[in-house]
């Protein structure tokens, strides 16, 4: 099989070349970054591209973005992404993208040459091969998401404010409600997130963590209620009276 490697670690890159060539595959290119990836793919026509998730110059998501671009541009090209750790968001984006055969493995799996080469063969045959740890964390993420979907809009807003470190009093002021209403919403949040009462009082922290793991955005607070109009009765003007109780007098007394 014709394979292209894009890995910034010179040691791992050389190791991959050696393992793959010893197994009878042809490494058509071994790149340290993705700056010339597209033109190299077009020139060498690989059947499989192996990319690291984090590549120069920023070492963030360059490899994932390159993989997504390749899958969109060349749907028939198989792609294997290697990662030091499970990057849930990147893995989810990659799996949900359209394209050909796909693999997402942790670099620890490469140490087991037999398993790694078997994964290569399965991807080449059109299968999707995911590291067991990736699958476990994605399933865990789905469970967290389902819990968050139980919350009403108001409960989600209260949870977001908890995650910001707001007190019940501050939340009540922000939402223009009573502290009693806030306490009821917080109790509902704890119940829907399956957070059981404990003596340490960690439920608030655990709820905040669940919010941050879900994406951690704060819905806008509702506008303040309009100020009621003044209740002061209109002033009443009475005609002036003379000391004798008679109405106003005009003219000159004669």
């Amino acid at each position: 099989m014709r394979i292209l490697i894009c890995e910034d670690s010179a040691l791992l890159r050389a190791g991959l070349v050696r393992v793959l060539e010893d197994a009878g595959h042809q490494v058509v290119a071994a790149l340290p970054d993705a700056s010339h990836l597209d033109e190299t793919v077009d020139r060498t026509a690989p059947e499989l591209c192996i990319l690291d998730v984090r590549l120069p110059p920023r070492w963030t998501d360059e490899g994932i973005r390159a993989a997504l671009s390749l899958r969109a541009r060349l749907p028939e090209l198989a792609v294997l992404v290697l990662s030091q750790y499970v990057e849930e968001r990147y893995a989810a984006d990659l799996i949900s993208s359209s394209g050909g055969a796909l693999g997402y493995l942790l670099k620890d799996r490469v140490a087991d040459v037999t398993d790694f080469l078997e994964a290569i063969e399965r991807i080449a045959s059109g299968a999707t091969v995911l590291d067991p740890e990736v699958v476990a964390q994605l399933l865990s993420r789905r469970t967290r998401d389902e819990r968050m979907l139980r919350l009403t809009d108001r409960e989600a807003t209260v949870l977001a404010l908890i995650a910001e470190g707001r007190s019940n009093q501050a939340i009540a002021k922000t939402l223009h409600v009573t502290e009693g209403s806030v306490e009821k919403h917080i109790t509902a949040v704890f119940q829907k997130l399956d957070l059981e009462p404990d003596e340490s009082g960690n439920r608030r922290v655990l709820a905040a963590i669940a919010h941050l793991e879900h994406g951690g955005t704060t819905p806008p607070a509702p506008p303040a209620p309009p100020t009621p109009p003044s209740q002061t009765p209109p002033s009443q003007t009475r005609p002036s009276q003379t000391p004798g109780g008679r109405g106003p007098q005009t003219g000159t007394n004669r």
Side-chain angles (χ1 to χ4, degrees), residues 8 11 71 76 87 152 156 173 190 248:
D8 66 287
L11 185 60
R71 284 170 62 77
E76 72 283 0
E87 314 255 10
T152 65
K173 184 176 180 180
F190 290 159

Side-chain angles (χ1 to χ4, degrees), residues 16-38:
L16 289 172
V17 171
R18 176 68 179 271
V19 167
L20 292 170
E21 290 183 342
D22 286 351
H25 300 294
Q26 180 185 0
V27 177
V28 296
L31 307 176
D33 57 59
S35 58
H36 300 290
L37 178 62
D38 284 342

Side-chain angles (χ1 to χ4, degrees), residues 3 8 12 18 60 84 105 108 110 138 140 142 161-162 167-168 175 211 213-214 228-229 231 234 238 245 251-253:
I3 300 176
D8 66 287
L12 180 55
R18 176 68 179 271
T60 55
Q84 188 68 41
L105 298 177
D108 287 347
V110 180
L138 288 177
S140 175
R142 179 179 177 184
L161 294 172
I162 289 175
S167 65
N168 288 9
L175 300 181
H211 168 74
E213 288 179 336
H214 185 66
Q231 300 299 317
R238 294 182 179 181
T252 303
N253 289 332

Side-chain angles (χ1 to χ4, degrees), residues 88-89 92 136-146:
E88 290 182 23
R89 180 170 62 86
Q137 292 207 28
L138 288 177
L139 289 176
S140 175
R141 178 184 183 181
R142 179 179 177 184
T143 300
R144 293 195 301 268
D145 289 354
E146 288 176 348

Side-chain angles (χ1 to χ4, degrees), residues 222-238:
T227 304
S230 173
Q231 300 299 317
T232 305
S235 60
Q236 297 179 356
T237 303
R238 294 182 179 181

